Amino acid sequence: MYDINNQLYVQNFIIMTKNKFYAVLFVALSALLFSSCSKDDENIIPPQLTIEVAGATSTSDLNLAQEDTLHLSAAVKNSTNFAVAWQVDGKEVARTAKYNFVATSMGEHLISLTVTNPDGGVATSSVKVSVYGKYKNGTFILNEGNMTSENGSLIFISPKGVVTDSAFFKVNKTPLGNVTQDLFIANNKIYIIAQNGNRMGGDMLVVANAETLVKEAAFNEELDKTLSWPTHIAVVGTNNVYIRDNKGVYLFNTDTKALKFVEGTEGADKNRMAVVGNKVFVPAGDKVFAIQGEKVDVIKMAGNVSGVLKASDGNLWISCTTKPAQIAKVNPSSYAIIKSNEIAEAKVGAGWGATPGISAIGDTLYFSNASTKIYRHIFTTGKTDFMVDVKDKIENAGIVYNNLAVHPKTGQVFFNTIKGYGWDFLINDISVWKFGDTAPVLKADYKNHTHFPAGIFFTDSFK
């Protein structure tokens, strides 16, 4: 006998059974999927990543000059088949394990590296790079140029020994003035004076950014109607430029463009001035003028002064061509002679040039008396030693054109020589020497870059 209630019971049972089956199946599949995902997540091992920088001991703070190259590479562990992506300031630049960052724009840049495993593991790392101007650190050689056929020019030697000829012209596409004689760095600006001004174009006094050499200001009419063969400059404060010419020393304000002669400075020598604090010290025969504002004090010395330098301890070095020669350390406030040493072994003259007859690092001084023979004097001990005759090591070192200079940090001595006058000036050397307790070492020899070099200038000397 057919029982409809029994049929409904059976159908409900089947439906319930199916629902339970589906529910159990759903739970089982969910558990399996969950278990599978969890296991995969646990098995994904992200790569261990570091950015290696060639030549760097630390990547926490990297400083780089414009045009220099930073060689970076991805150092990856826990992965052998990974994808790489480099970014600079958020923009992708490379997908290779190694990347060379070329510094172009100044400022801070963020270099980021992302490494991805085939299974999805990801690691990131980054370094900050601060790019400063190409010419912030290094050595300048100022060329007078061949007066009748060319203007002055500026050579730059980077700390890595890379030489840039005609650096100012390459940046600005305009020349320096005719017969450039001296430069000074202050206020992150470089000031360059030309003896013959804008006779063949260029400027009598040019002011440029000290890091980039981009020209910021130039002065001609304000100066050339008054000055007679200006040769040396010194800067105090933000706008006071002291300019030495055939009459004496003038004070020029770059803001107001006012030019005023400093009374009492008649007879200032054609030689470099030194700045200590807010005073300018100017050699003048057997005296040194100490100028503060427009006030002039006179420091009397034992003989004709061949060089005035700021010492590393804030005092002054003054050399005199007495017989025997003397090198004195002088207090720039009281003008008292702290100590004076006699140099019996050699002379400390500046020759016919326009640069100091001495150069110093700490208490060690170098001089050559405008010859090819280099001497070293240790001031604390009073000992003087002959170091090397450059002409014995450098071919065609016929003439010393202006005097040597020692780097105030490295102690390397830079020396300018030319074969001779006429067109022989094109055969020349900038030789770089390291002197210790053993034989002299020729560290570098830059050939045929100078055009009558007016002087050697280290950016570190102005810091």
Side-chain angles (χ1 to χ4, degrees):
M1 182 176 178
Y2 180 76
D3 189 341
I4 189 170
N5 292 325
N6 187 51
Q7 184 182 5
L8 291 174
Y9 172 80
V10 172
Q11 289 177 343
N12 289 336
F13 175 79
I14 293 171
I15 292 170
M16 289 176 61
T17 303
K18 285 182 177 179
N19 287 341
K20 288 181 180 179
F21 173 76
Y22 290 144
V24 170
L25 180 62
F26 173 77
V27 171
L29 289 172
S30 298
L32 179 63
L33 181 62
F34 178 78
S35 174
S36 175
C37 289
S38 298
K39 188 177 290 184
D40 286 347
D41 287 342
E42 291 174 0
N43 289 336
I44 295 176
I45 302 175
Q48 295 180 12
L49 171 64
T50 56
I51 296 176
E52 293 183 347
V53 183
T57 56
S58 171
T59 59
S60 60
D61 186 20
L62 294 171
N63 296 307
L64 194 66
Q66 277 181 306
E67 298 185 17
D68 277 358
T69 300
L70 202 63
H71 302 280
L72 306 106
S73 57
V76 182
K77 295 181 179 180
N78 298 338
S79 182
T80 57
N81 184 21
F82 51 85
V84 174
W86 295 91
Q87 289 187 332
V88 176
D89 299 331
K91 181 179 179 181
E92 186 173 304
V93 292
R95 285 184 170 269
T96 54
K98 293 184 178 182
Y99 169 62
N100 294 333
F101 171 75
V102 180
T104 53
S105 58
M106 292 169 56
E108 190 173 89
H109 301 277
L110 182 66
I111 302 176
S112 302
L113 172 62
T114 302
V115 171
T116 306
N117 277 340
D119 59 6
V122 178
T124 61
S125 184
S126 62
V127 293
K128 287 183 179 180
V129 178
S130 181
V131 178
Y132 55 86
K134 174 181 178 177
Y135 303 101
K136 181 178 181 179
N137 299 315
T139 303
F140 287 109
I141 312 290
L142 183 63
N143 285 323
E144 295 176 357
N146 189 10
M147 180 177 65
T148 59
S149 61
E150 62 180 355
N151 278 0
S153 61
L154 194 61
I155 301 167
F156 179 75
I157 305 175
S158 77
K160 295 181 179 180
V162 179
V163 180
T164 302
D165 288 316
S166 302
F168 182 86
F169 183 83
K170 287 178 178 176
V171 171
N172 299 284
K173 307 307 178 186
T174 57
L176 293 170
N178 189 244
V179 189
T180 45
Q181 289 281 281
D182 194 20
L183 68 77
F184 199 93
I185 300 174
N187 312 311
N188 200 36
K189 303 178 190 296
I190 184 168
Y191 303 74
I192 302 175
I193 192 76
Q195 179 176 286
N196 294 340
N198 59 353
R199 172 180 162 186
M200 297 174 61
D203 303 290
M204 179 166 279
L205 174 63
V206 67
V207 183
N209 183 285
E211 290 191 42
T212 65
L213 294 186
V214 172
K215 182 177 173 180
E216 296 184 356
F219 304 95
N220 292 291
E221 296 83 4
E222 304 90 344
L223 304 175
D224 62 8
K225 293 180 180 178
T226 303
L227 298 180
S228 172
W229 285 27
T231 60
H232 292 83
I233 55 175
V235 180
V236 176
T238 58
N239 53 17
N240 293 317
V241 181
Y242 290 87
I243 306 174
R244 179 266 167 203
D245 80 342
N246 284 344
K247 182 179 180 181
V249 180
Y250 288 79
L251 176 57
F252 178 63
N253 187 297
T254 55
D255 290 340
T256 66
K257 300 181 182 179
L259 178 67
K260 186 176 182 181
F261 183 71
V262 180
E263 298 294 337
T265 62
E266 293 85 354
D269 288 340
K270 184 181 178 180
N271 207 322
R272 199 174 296 169
M273 300 181 279
V275 174
V276 179
N278 58 358
K279 291 182 179 180
V280 179
F281 295 87
V282 187
D286 62 353
K287 303 179 291 295
V288 173
F289 298 137
I291 309 173
Q292 185 172 2
E294 296 180 41
K295 180 180 179 294
V296 180
D297 294 322
V298 177
I299 306 173
K300 189 73 171 63
M301 300 303 296
N304 285 337
V305 175
S306 62
V308 179
L309 304 174
K310 179 183 177 180
S312 59
D313 62 3
N315 289 301
L316 282 171
W317 295 115
I318 301 177
S319 58
C320 297
T321 58
T322 49
K323 295 183 179 180
Q326 293 183 9
I327 298 177
K329 179 176 278 192
V330 176
N331 185 303
S333 299
S334 66
Y335 311 138
I337 295 177
I338 299 170
K339 183 184 178 183
S340 181
N341 288 357
E342 290 187 348
I343 314 295
E345 296 84 354
K347 298 178 180 179
V348 292
W352 52 265
T355 60
I358 54 173
S359 189
I361 174 173
D363 74 333
T364 301
L365 298 105
Y366 291 90
F367 57 91
S368 72
N369 194 42
S371 75
T372 58
K373 295 181 179 180
I374 298 177
Y375 292 84
R376 181 179 66 190
H377 178 74
I378 311 298
F379 193 77
T380 50
T381 64
K383 184 181 180 184
T384 302
D385 293 304
F386 167 73
M387 305 310 296
V388 71
D389 191 337
V390 173
K391 70 181 181 183
D392 293 339
K393 307 292 183 179
I394 301 295
E395 187 180 6
N396 296 316
I399 298 173
V400 180
Y401 205 91
N402 281 300
N403 288 297
L404 57 75
V406 58
H407 193 286
K409 287 189 175 180
T410 68
Q412 294 181 350
V413 176
F414 285 64
F415 206 80
N416 285 328
T417 55
I418 66 175
K419 182 178 180 180
Y421 293 108
W423 290 108
D424 276 349
F425 82 91
L426 293 172
I427 301 172
N428 56 73
D429 294 81
I430 306 166
S431 56
V432 183
W433 302 86
K434 185 69 175 179
F435 300 114
D437 295 329
T438 57
V441 177
L442 179 62
K443 300 293 290 185
D445 181 15
Y446 306 104
K447 290 184 176 295
N448 306 328
H449 291 280
T450 67
H451 282 209
F452 296 115
I456 302 160
F457 304 85
F458 306 108
T459 57
D460 282 322
S461 298
F462 298 94
K463 295 176 181 179

